[in-house]
Amino acid sequence: MLNIINLNDNQNTLIEPLSQLLLEGFRENWPEPRPTIDAARKEVLDSLTADRINRVALN
């Protein structure tokens, strides 16, 4: 069963796996915006603002 939760900046254990997914998922076709894990992590962290909805599905 999948559990869908709201992601916020207090969930540090999810930031690294999400950064890795972002990096690997787009590397082949769109590597320029996030060429490194640090760039991907910054993008994840930048998305965690109060005016955005961020949800993740956990198994």
Side-chain angles (χ1 to χ4, degrees), residues 11-21 37-38 41 44:
Q11 294 157 318
N12 294 329
T13 59
L14 296 176
I15 302 300
E16 197 63 29
L18 289 170
S19 302
Q20 193 66 36
L21 282 171
I37 190 65
D38 290 332
R41 187 180 306 108
V44 170

Side-chain angles (χ1 to χ4, degrees), residues 2-3 6 9 14 21-22 25-26 31 38-39 45-47 51 58:
L2 287 179
N3 187 19
N6 291 324
D9 58 357
L14 296 176
L21 282 171
L22 183 62
F26 291 95
D38 290 332
L45 292 171
D46 288 349
S47 76
D51 63 329
L58 303 175

Side-chain angles (χ1 to χ4, degrees), residues 30-53:
W30 299 284
E32 296 84 17
R34 58 201 74 76
T36 65
I37 190 65
D38 290 332
R41 187 180 306 108
K42 181 179 180 333
E43 186 167 339
V44 170
L45 292 171
D46 288 349
S47 76
L48 300 176
T49 60
D51 63 329
R52 293 187 177 184
I53 297 171

